[in-house]
Amino acid sequence: MRDEIPPGTLYMLILKTLVRGGEMHGFEIANSIQQISEDVLQVEEGSLYPALQRMLIKGWVTAEWGVTAGNRRARYYKLTKAGRKQLEIELSQFQRVNQAIIRVIQTA
Amino acid sequence: MEWVGEIWRRLRALVRRRQNDRDLEEEMRLHVELRAEEQIKFGVAPDDARSTAHRRFGNALLMKERSRDVWGWRWLETFLQDLRYGARMLRKSPAFTAVAILSLAIGIGANTAIFSVVNAILLKSLPVRDPEQLRLVLWTGEPRIPMSTGSGYSTTLHDIEVHSSFSYPMYQLLATSVPQFSDVMGFAHADLTVLAAGESHYAGALFVTGNFFRVAGVNPLLGRMLSPEDDRAGAPAVAVIGYRYWERRFGLDPSAVGRTIRVNGRPVTIAGVIPKPFLGLEPREGNDLILPMALAEAYGPKEYSLGREDSWWVQILGRLRPGVPDRQAWAALDVVMARASARYEDKPEQKRHPWRPVVENGAGGVPMWRENASGPLFILSGVVAFVLLIACANLANLLLARGTARRREMAVRLSIGAGRWRLIRQLLTESFLLAGLGAGVGLTFASPLSKLVLALAGGKNPLTLDVQVDARTLLFTVATALLTALIFGLAPAFRATRIDLTPSLKDGATGGFGATPHSRLSRSLIVGQIALSTLLLAGAGLFVRTLVNLAKVDPGFQAQQLLIFTVDGSRSGYEAGKLLAVYERIREKVAAIPGVKAATFSMFPLIAGSMSNSDISVPGYSPKGKESARTYMMVADSGFLAAMGIPILLGRDLNGGDGPHAPMVAVVNETFVRDYFAGNNPLGKIFYFGPLTGQPKTAKDTIQIVGVCRDAKYTDLRSEFPPTAYLSYSQNADWVGQATFEVRTAVPPLSMANAVRRAVAETDRDVPVADLMTQEQQIRMSLSPERLAAGLIGSFGLIAALLAAIGLYGVMAYTVTRRTSEIGIRMALGAGCNDVLWTVLRGSLFMVAIGIGIGVPTALALTQVVREALYGIEPNDPVSFIAASVLMLAVATVAAWIPALRAARVDPMQALRHE
C-alpha cells in the first residue's frame, strides 16, 4: 500500500532530503524519499520538477549541471542558506499542525 | 530583501527561457530513462519498463507547463504568441490593415498633437529646479501709491481683475519682508534694439534680478549665467543669450560668449548661453537676451526706473518654502502691501477697493492666461476627439465584418477546445496591435501638426513653446491608443466569438438572409459616424463662413498697394524731441523712391491688434450709466488719412499748420460724431482728455475738432468701428516712440522692400527695419486664428466624412456579398437591375438620413458654444447646415453606389448555382 504525500509537504520533503544527501539530482531525490519512507510515500515523480523550479526561483536551492556515476549529464540541486531557514519554518509549521490534528483525533 | 533576489531570478528565467526549457526537458528525460533502466535491472521487459517509468513519472507535458508557470512569464509568452498570430492575420489582409492603421493614425495623431499644445500651454512646468514651489505675485484692487504702468499685464483670474507689475522699490520691499518665500525674483520684458554680428535688429529681452539663475537652478550651456554681482550699480554690463537667439544670430558659434554687442546703443558683453529647454518665462515674449535688472534703467524703456515708486514695471516670482501653505505667504504679503499703501494719504472723496495681493501658481512661468488659450483649445480638443471616435466606429465596423469572415476560423478553434476568453484575448491583442501601429504612425505627424497649430495661432509672434513629445504626451498617446483599442475592439471580439458551432462549420462564410445580429450593431455604428461627421462638417462650415465674411469686411481704408514697416529710433539713443525729425527724414527719403505715391507714419499699424485709447469728456454729452466717454486714438503724421485713403467727409484734414504752438486739433470719425454729438455737426466743437473734475483743463488736454473722416477699422476687422480721434505727431511730440510707416506704391508693394530698407539705412544705419510686409499681409495675419480654426476643423470634418464613407462602403459591400444569392433569386424572379440598385441604395440612404437627422440637431445644440468665435452668421446658420448635410449625403451616396452597382450586376444563374 502506497500513500499520496499530504499536500503542501513536498517542499519540506525535498528540503529535508537535500539536507541529508547534499547535492542530488531529481531522480535521486525521488528515490530517496521513497526509500526512506520505506516505500509508503509515493511521489508522482514528475511533480518534483515544478516544485524544484519554484524552489530555484525562491532561492531555496541552487542547481548545477554535473555528471552521474553512470557518466550522464544531470542537474544537481543543492540547499542554500535560505533553503535551510525555509526547512526550519516548514518543519515547525508541520509539527504544529500535526500535533494539533493528533490532539483533535485523540480527544474525539 | 528576498523579493529583490526573486525578481532577479524571475527575470533571468525570462531571458533564459529557451535554455531553461531545454534543461528541464533533459532532466525529465534522464529521470524517465534512469527509472526504466532500474526496472530492466529488476528483470522487467524493456517495453514494460519504459511504460512503467512513464506512468510513475506522470504527465510530462503538464509538468513542463507547470514549471513554466512557476517562472511567471506564461502571460508574456501567450501575449507574444497572440501578437505574432495577430501580425500574421493583419499581413494576410493588407488593404484592411492599411485603412485601419491610417484612420487610427489620423485619429490618434490629431489627438496627440492637440494634447501636446494643451500640455505646453496649460500643463508643462518651467525647466527649472522644483518649479512647483514657484508663485507669481499679483495684485488686485487699487493701490493708494501713485502709479503708472510701464510693463506687465492685467487679466481676469478667478473672476477678479489682477495686475502683474510692481515698482522696483516695492519689489525690494517684498523680497526682504516675506519669510515664507525662500527667494523672490523680479523680472520685466522689453523689446530692445541690438547691434550684433554686424546687423541691427530687434530682440526680446528679459531683465532679471541677480538671484534669478541661482534660484531657478538653470545652469549655463556655455560661459556663465548672471549672478547677484552682475546686478549691482557700476558692475560691467553683461547679458546671457537664449539658445534660439544664439542659433539665429550667431549660428551656434561658441565664440559668441565674450563678444560685445550693442543694446539700445550701449555696449554689453555676452557672458553665456542659456540651455535650450529654457525658453523664458512667458510663451509670447521671445527671450533672446537676459540682462541684469541693474541695467534696466540705462538700457530699457524710460519707464523702467529703479528708484521711482510710481513707475510700475517689475513682475514678481517667489519661491515658496517647502511645506508652507500659500495662505501664509499671502497673509504676509497682504500686511506688507497694506503698510506700504497706508503711507499715502487717500483723498477723502475716494472710495477705493483695497489693494490686496494675489498668489498664483508659477510652475508654468507666466501662463498664457487661460481665457485666451483655453477656448480654442477646448474646441479643437472636442473636434479631434470626435475624429477619433469616428475612426473607432469605423474600425469596429471593419472588425465586425472581419469577424463574420473569420467565423469558420473561430468555430474551428472553439470546437477543438480553445476557450472563448482565449479567443477574445487573441482578437483584442490584434486590436491593440492595430492601435499601437496607428499610434506609432500618428506620433510621426503629431509634432509637425502641433507646431503648425502654434505657428498659426501665434501670428506675428510665434509662440515660443516647446511642443516636443514629452513623457506626459507619450503617456497620453499610449492611454489613448489602449482606450481606442478597447472601444473599437471589445464589441467585435465578443460578437466574433459568440458562435453557434454547427451551422458555422457546416456552411462556412455564407449566412442566411435577413439581418444578422451583427448587422444591427454595424448599422448603428454607421449612423453614429454619419451623425458625428455631419456635426463636424457643419462646424467647419461655420468657421469657413466666418473667415470668408471677415475677409470680405471693408476696413474703411485702401489696404491694397500699401507697404508697411516699423522702426523704433527711441532705442537707438534718439531723444524724443529729435525722433520726430528722424522719422520725417525717413518719410522724405521713402517718398522720393520712384514708384512710391505717398509715405506716412503712425503709432502702430492698423488691424494689428495694437490700440491706444483714453477717457474723454465731451461738453453736452452725458455718459450713460457708469461707462465714461472713451475714444481710440491714432497719433500720426499729418498726411496719414490721405495716404491711407480714409476720406474726409466734413471740414479739413490735419496739416502742417497744426504745429506745437497752434491750438490742439483732431479729426474724428463718423462713429465718434454719432456717439458723442448725436450726429450733429461737430466742427469747431471741443472735447477734453480725461474726466472733468471742475479744474480748468490745460491747453494740451483741450482738443478742437476740425474734420470728420469716414469710419475705418482699427485694432481688427471683427470689432465694430470704434470712435476714433486722429491727432498729429507735431502737436503730440511726447507720443513719439516707435513708428510704423505706411507706403502707398504704384507697383507691387513688396518689390519696394529693398529700396525702403536702403532709404532707412541712409537715414540711420543703426535703426533696424522690422515687420516689413504689405498691409494686406498684415490683415491676413490678423485673421490667422480664424484661418486656423477653419482649416483645422474643415480638414478634420472632411477626414471624418471620408472615414464614414469608407465605413459605409465596407458595410454595404459586405452586405451585398452576403446577399448575392438572395439578389440572384430576386433577379431570377424578375427584378430588374434598377430595382436591385435601388434596393441596396435605399438601405444605405436610410442610414445616412438617420445619421444626418441625428447630427444636425446635435450640431445645432453644440454650435451655440462657439457663438463668440463666429462673425456675420448665427450658430444655426442655415447655409452651413445645408451644405454639411448635402456634402455628407453626396459622399455617402458615392460610397454606397459602388456596392449597389455591383449588386445590380449579379448574374442570377451564377449566384444560384453557387448556392
Side-chain angles (χ1 to χ4, degrees):
Chain A
M1 175 73 195
R2 283 175 160 176
D3 288 319
E4 293 280 339
I5 57 166
T9 53
L10 184 55
Y11 295 126
M12 187 175 67
L13 295 181
I14 296 173
L15 288 168
K16 188 74 195 173
T17 307
L18 285 175
V19 168
R20 212 175 296 118
E23 292 189 27
M24 299 171 97
H25 57 75
F27 182 72
E28 288 174 336
I29 296 172
N31 273 354
S32 176
I33 291 176
Q34 275 166 29
Q35 280 162 18
I36 291 171
S37 73
E38 292 169 349
D39 281 352
V40 174
L41 291 181
Q42 179 197 358
V43 188
E44 192 193 6
E45 292 170 15
S47 64
L48 269 183
Y49 292 90
L52 283 168
Q53 287 301 324
R54 188 170 138 80
M55 291 164 77
L56 275 173
I57 289 283
K58 288 282 175 195
W60 299 338
V61 296
T62 54
E64 233 169 290
W65 285 92
V67 182
T68 65
N71 204 18
R72 285 172 138 149
R73 240 167 73 83
R75 182 144 62 169
Y76 283 90
Y77 294 88
K78 200 171 96 184
L79 209 58
T80 63
K81 211 186 258 177
R84 267 172 223 284
K85 221 159 71 188
Q86 183 64 25
L87 177 60
E88 277 166 33
I89 295 171
E90 301 235 342
L91 278 176
S92 69
Q93 196 181 353
F94 176 75
Q95 275 155 10
R96 217 168 41 243
V97 172
N98 224 15
Q99 280 161 11
I101 291 174
I102 289 168
R103 268 200 301 279
V104 171
I105 298 169
Q106 284 174 345
T107 44
Chain B
M1 279 299 128
E2 274 167 38
W3 58 274
V4 177
E6 187 176 332
I7 286 175
W8 192 76
R9 283 188 290 271
R10 275 182 198 278
L11 281 174
R12 205 171 50 172
L14 172 68
V15 179
R16 298 198 185 153
R17 222 158 59 240
R18 301 235 159 116
Q19 183 63 43
N20 278 353
D21 267 340
R22 277 199 297 274
D23 284 356
L24 195 62
E25 210 159 300
E26 185 179 344
E27 99 185 302
M28 287 172 145
R29 200 170 50 231
L30 177 74
H31 187 120
V32 175
E33 280 170 18
L34 288 176
R35 178 69 67 210
E37 283 166 22
E38 178 203 69
Q39 294 293 313
I40 292 171
K41 247 188 254 164
F42 292 160
V44 182
D47 277 357
D48 289 347
R50 249 195 310 280
S51 69
T52 307
H54 276 296
R55 185 165 33 78
R56 284 182 62 176
F57 192 83
N59 185 343
L61 209 63
L62 185 68
M63 293 309 157
K64 237 191 278 180
E65 283 286 295
R66 275 200 207 150
S67 304
R68 280 202 204 106
D69 284 350
V70 166
W71 302 335
W73 298 107
R74 247 249 292 221
W75 59 272
L76 186 70
E77 279 168 28
T78 324
F79 176 71
L80 289 177
Q81 200 184 340
D82 283 354
L83 214 55
R84 273 193 295 271
Y85 184 78
R88 207 157 55 230
M89 291 310 286
L90 292 183
R91 262 203 306 275
K92 261 166 79 179
S93 36
F96 161 80
T97 308
V99 169
I101 291 179
L102 194 66
S103 50
L104 283 172
I106 290 168
I108 296 175
N111 276 279
T112 302
I114 300 303
F115 179 80
S116 65
V117 175
V118 170
N119 182 27
I121 291 183
L122 300 177
L123 304 177
K124 225 182 235 182
S125 296
L126 290 174
V128 301
R129 183 164 47 79
D130 301 326
E132 71 287 345
Q133 296 171 352
L134 297 180
R135 295 291 179 276
L136 289 164
V137 179
L138 310 166
W139 56 265
T140 182
E142 295 162 76
R144 292 192 202 173
I145 308 169
M147 58 168 288
S148 78
T149 308
S151 172
Y153 56 89
S154 299
T155 186
T156 310
L157 196 64
H158 320 302
D159 284 332
I160 50 169
E161 172 97 359
V162 299
H163 310 272
S164 71
S165 31
F166 293 85
S167 64
Y168 189 71
M170 194 70 211
Y171 156 74
Q172 286 174 309
L173 178 65
L174 294 180
T176 49
S177 48
V178 182
Q180 285 80 3
F181 287 133
S182 60
D183 292 278
V184 180
M185 300 167 274
F187 63 94
H189 290 286
D191 284 328
L192 304 175
T193 299
V194 178
L195 180 66
E199 209 188 327
S200 138
H201 54 267
Y202 297 111
L206 189 64
F207 289 101
V208 298
T209 49
N211 58 356
F212 184 83
F213 284 101
R214 178 183 53 78
V215 177
V218 173
N219 295 315
L221 181 68
L222 275 180
R224 63 177 182 88
M225 299 285 90
L226 302 176
S227 69
E229 283 70 48
D230 298 312
D231 189 20
R232 284 204 184 117
V238 292
V240 293
I241 59 178
Y243 186 91
R244 291 185 182 186
Y245 184 73
W246 185 45
E247 187 175 35
R248 200 167 62 237
R249 291 288 164 189
F250 298 97
L252 303 182
D253 180 0
S255 77
V257 174
R259 256 193 244 178
T260 298
I261 56 174
R262 293 185 88 79
V263 173
N264 278 6
R266 295 152 184 271
V268 171
T269 304
I270 297 176
V273 178
I274 307 166
K276 197 173 183 182
F278 187 81
L279 294 172
L281 294 171
E282 209 172 325
R284 279 220 178 260
E285 310 283 344
N287 288 298
D288 299 330
L289 291 173
I290 299 191
L291 298 133
M293 206 62 138
L295 297 182
E297 206 161 59
Y299 290 72
K302 59 178 184 285
E303 303 86 16
Y304 288 16
S305 158
L306 296 176
R308 290 174 56 161
E309 290 207 307
D310 61 348
S311 186
W312 290 40
W313 55 280
V314 182
Q315 298 181 48
I316 294 180
L317 195 58
R319 186 181 278 287
L320 199 62
R321 288 186 193 281
V324 176
D326 282 35
R327 183 79 207 164
Q328 282 181 18
W330 180 88
L333 284 166
D334 196 38
V335 170
V336 180
M337 283 167 57
R339 206 179 297 141
S341 192
R343 285 187 290 126
Y344 289 84
E345 285 280 318
D346 223 353
K347 294 201 188 86
E349 77 272 18
Q350 273 175 313
K351 269 256 188 294
R352 292 172 183 269
H353 294 290
W355 190 46
R356 308 306 284 271
V358 173
V359 176
E360 183 66 15
N361 186 352
V366 179
M368 252 182 60
W369 291 101
R370 286 158 184 81
E371 68 264 34
N372 300 335
S374 60
L377 282 179
F378 175 72
I379 294 174
L380 277 181
S381 307
V383 168
V384 292
F386 281 146
V387 171
L388 186 57
L389 219 53
I390 292 170
C392 280
N394 226 7
L395 252 283
N397 240 336
L398 289 172
L399 286 177
L400 278 176
R402 233 169 109 75
T404 320
R406 282 168 72 178
R407 264 180 120 76
R408 227 189 141 84
E409 174 201 340
M410 292 298 148
V412 168
R413 292 183 66 179
L414 281 172
S415 64
I416 60 171
R420 187 170 171 211
W421 282 111
R422 185 75 191 70
L423 288 190
I424 289 177
R425 203 163 68 182
Q426 164 68 48
L427 290 173
L428 277 182
T429 307
E430 283 183 45
S431 298
F432 285 124
L433 184 61
L434 277 176
L437 290 170
V441 177
L443 270 176
T444 59
F445 68 80
S447 191
L449 183 61
S450 51
K451 278 186 189 138
L452 181 74
V453 169
L454 275 193
L456 286 173
K460 195 155 66 181
N461 302 317
L463 299 173
T464 51
L465 283 171
D466 183 14
V467 290
Q468 289 302 333
V469 171
D470 63 354
R472 191 189 278 132
T473 313
L474 213 56
L475 194 69
F476 171 85
T477 309
V478 170
T480 310
L482 287 179
L483 191 68
T484 307
L486 280 182
I487 291 175
F488 73 71
L490 213 48
F494 272 87
R495 272 293 153 79
T497 53
R498 200 173 65 197
I499 294 174
D500 184 5
L501 287 182
T502 332
S504 299
L505 283 175
K506 237 192 264 167
D507 63 16
T510 43
F513 301 140
T516 55
H518 113 242
S519 75
R520 204 171 325 129
L521 177 59
S522 80
R523 270 155 211 273
S524 323
L525 286 170
I526 292 284
V527 168
Q529 275 179 277
I530 301 228
L532 281 176
S533 307
T534 311
L535 187 151
L536 285 186
L537 284 176
L542 292 177
F543 283 100
V544 169
R545 296 249 298 148
T546 293
L547 183 63
V548 170
N549 284 346
L550 281 170
K552 279 197 301 211
V553 166
D554 175 12
F557 59 89
Q558 287 165 24
Q560 305 81 16
Q561 302 282 78
L562 200 57
L563 187 72
I564 62 174
F565 62 91
T566 297
V567 297
D568 190 349
S570 66
R571 304 196 215 123
S572 303
Y574 286 107
E575 283 162 26
K578 295 205 179 128
L579 208 49
L580 187 58
V582 172
Y583 290 160
E584 281 169 348
R585 272 213 303 284
I586 292 177
R587 183 195 62 196
E588 295 314 318
K589 279 242 158 59
V590 170
I593 301 170
V596 171
K597 284 164 131 181
T600 186
F601 56 98
S602 57
M603 299 165 82
F604 39 73
L606 290 175
I607 326 293
S610 309
M611 61 113 158
S612 169
N613 61 18
S614 171
D615 282 338
I616 55 169
S617 35
V618 184
Y621 170 81
S622 45
K624 302 172 209 79
K626 289 185 91 177
E627 294 280 307
S628 53
R630 183 166 263 273
T631 187
Y632 284 71
M633 306 184 337
M634 176 58 94
V635 182
D637 176 39
S638 60
F640 180 75
L641 290 170
M644 294 301 280
I646 302 173
I648 301 289
L649 303 174
L650 212 59
R652 67 166 177 90
D653 197 351
L654 301 170
N655 61 38
D658 302 320
H661 306 297
M664 298 285 286
V665 295
V667 172
V668 297
N669 69 350
E670 296 167 277
T671 305
F672 189 103
V673 176
R674 208 169 32 247
D675 284 1
Y676 302 130
F677 292 96
N680 297 320
N681 185 344
L683 292 186
K685 298 273 172 54
I686 299 289
F687 69 89
Y688 304 99
F689 280 123
L692 286 176
T693 51
Q695 306 277 331
K697 282 286 181 186
T698 60
K700 275 211 87 61
D701 284 342
T702 309
I703 317 288
Q704 190 184 29
I705 298 172
V706 294
V708 177
C709 66
R710 204 172 73 188
D711 279 338
K713 295 284 181 181
Y714 183 87
T715 49
D716 54 83
L717 291 179
R718 198 182 265 267
S719 314
E720 300 284 318
F721 295 115
T724 314
Y726 298 89
L727 303 149
S728 96
Y729 265 134
S730 47
Q731 291 192 323
N732 296 276
D734 46 342
W735 281 90
V736 183
Q738 67 164 40
T740 295
F741 282 77
E742 289 92 357
V743 184
R744 172 83 51 206
T745 60
V747 292
L750 284 177
S751 67
M752 310 294 292
N754 283 330
V756 162
R757 283 184 198 280
R758 260 197 312 278
V760 175
E762 277 168 25
T763 315
D764 186 333
R765 268 193 52 81
D766 290 344
V767 178
V769 169
D771 302 333
L772 183 118
M773 66 185 104
T774 68
Q775 178 72 52
E776 289 177 298
Q777 285 174 321
Q778 172 62 58
I779 291 178
R780 260 202 301 284
M781 204 181 275
S782 79
L783 295 180
S784 58
E786 282 83 2
R787 189 166 309 111
L788 173 70
L792 277 184
I793 300 178
S795 332
F796 286 136
L798 288 179
I799 288 169
L802 203 65
L803 287 178
I806 291 174
L808 180 66
Y809 167 81
V811 169
M812 290 323 288
Y814 174 71
T815 311
V816 167
T817 314
R818 277 179 63 88
R819 291 172 60 183
T820 306
S821 48
E822 180 203 335
I823 295 165
I825 292 173
R826 280 170 191 258
M827 291 180 105
L829 291 177
C833 284
N834 283 340
D835 297 328
V836 171
L837 186 83
W838 179 236
T839 312
V840 177
L841 212 51
R842 198 174 46 199
S844 326
L845 292 184
F846 184 62
M847 286 190 279
V848 176
I850 296 180
I852 294 176
I854 295 173
V856 167
T858 316
L860 278 174
L862 274 181
T863 49
Q864 294 296 335
V865 179
V866 299
R867 176 184 286 274
E868 295 278 296
L870 304 180
Y871 182 82
I873 45 170
E874 288 296 305
N876 60 3
D877 176 48
V879 177
S880 304
F881 277 84
I882 292 169
S885 307
V886 170
L887 185 60
M888 191 67 246
L889 193 63
V891 173
T893 308
V894 172
W897 193 270
I898 303 165
L901 213 57
R902 199 184 306 151
R905 292 208 185 117
V906 165
D907 176 357
M909 285 312 290
Q910 223 160 19
L912 290 175
R913 204 175 296 134
H914 176 73
E915 182 78 352

